[in-house]
Amino acid sequence: MRDADNIRQLDEARIADWMGFIFFEKSKRHVSEVPAYLPTNSKRVGVFVNYSIEEIAEKVSDFGFNLVQLHGNETPKYCHELKKRLGSEVKIIKMFQISSPKDLEPTSKYEAWVDYFLFETKCESYGGSGKKFDWDILDYYPCFTPFILTGGIGPDDVEKVKAFQHPLFKGIDLNSKFETSPALKDIDLLKNFIKQLR
């Protein structure tokens, strides 16, 4: 999210549990300044790619983030240090790109320092591909940390999401398939999708 009016509309609709703000200059959704309105009903998530710990701490302070989502090459040691710096109040999400069971193996090294994993479709960039991976791969998930699914989930995927069963599955990340333009969400489309899902 980036546009203050769009953020307010979504926040007042009380349909999104969390709302994301992307800090990656190559992204079409990059947030360069604090919007005039920040959500009060939805939790705030800062999305970062290879930022320093101090840079993230500064953004957490500026935006009042409840969660930090890491999309870069952050190591387990980095996550440990970030957790110490931010404290237990701010939750950490670490993204992994998935195309086979082997891609799940590194998660175990992060488990002690991360509150959630985010599983994305493997692609060449740090950002999303807008495509879904085979969720059956998650039968091989080796950890006990809750996870979130992303990657091309759109308005036609209600039944697919409902049918997915895993004891550690905690939510979905909705983005490009619900936009009228980058960082601008179609509120009615989101409302309808989440109403059907719930």
Side-chain angles (χ1 to χ4, degrees):
M1 303 295 288
R2 183 170 59 204
D3 177 82
D5 290 338
N6 197 224
I7 293 167
R8 185 190 297 273
Q9 279 183 292
L10 185 57
D11 193 43
E12 289 178 351
R14 294 176 180 263
I15 54 174
D17 297 312
W18 300 350
M19 204 178 293
F21 299 82
I22 295 175
F23 298 92
F24 182 50
E25 290 184 0
K26 294 181 180 179
S27 171
K28 295 177 288 187
R29 301 172 185 85
H30 175 65
V31 177
S32 57
E33 59 186 11
V34 179
Y37 179 87
L38 287 169
T40 57
N41 298 313
S42 301
K43 289 186 177 179
R44 305 171 192 180
V45 185
V47 182
F48 300 93
V49 178
N50 299 329
Y51 268 56
S52 74
I53 287 173
E54 285 308 313
E55 285 173 322
I56 289 181
E58 185 178 328
K59 296 295 185 189
V60 167
S61 175
D62 290 346
F63 283 74
F65 287 131
N66 307 101
L67 303 102
V68 165
Q69 187 169 307
L70 304 174
H71 269 251
N73 304 316
E74 300 88 3
T75 64
K77 182 181 178 182
Y78 174 96
C79 293
H80 182 199
E81 293 300 318
L82 182 63
K83 193 74 174 168
K84 285 199 298 185
R85 178 68 176 81
L86 298 180
S88 59
E89 294 284 316
V90 180
K91 305 303 180 187
I92 296 176
I93 306 165
K94 180 70 180 91
M95 185 277 293
F96 282 88
Q97 295 186 343
I98 306 297
S99 66
S100 72
K102 189 176 177 63
D103 296 317
L104 292 167
E105 292 174 7
T107 57
S108 58
K109 297 176 183 176
Y110 288 79
E111 191 163 28
W113 320 118
V114 169
D115 299 284
Y116 300 92
F117 289 116
L118 175 71
F119 295 136
E120 169 69 279
T121 306
K122 185 169 268 189
C123 62
E124 294 299 314
S125 67
Y126 288 113
S129 66
K131 299 176 181 177
K132 284 184 280 297
F133 66 94
D134 179 3
W135 295 349
D136 288 342
I137 291 170
L138 296 169
D139 289 343
Y140 299 93
Y141 179 53
C143 297
F144 296 97
T145 299
F147 65 80
I148 301 156
L149 288 177
T150 189
I153 299 172
D156 298 328
D157 290 317
V158 171
E159 295 308 318
K160 181 176 175 62
V161 174
K162 280 185 173 181
F164 179 69
Q165 299 291 319
H166 193 291
L168 294 166
F169 173 46
K170 293 299 178 187
I172 51 174
D173 182 317
L174 306 176
N175 197 6
S176 61
K177 303 287 186 182
F178 293 87
E179 289 184 328
T180 55
S181 62
L184 205 63
K185 300 298 182 286
D186 185 322
I187 306 299
D188 289 334
L189 200 60
L190 277 167
K191 274 184 183 176
N192 186 51
F193 179 84
I194 293 172
K195 183 180 177 182
Q196 290 181 71
L197 196 60
R198 288 178 169 162

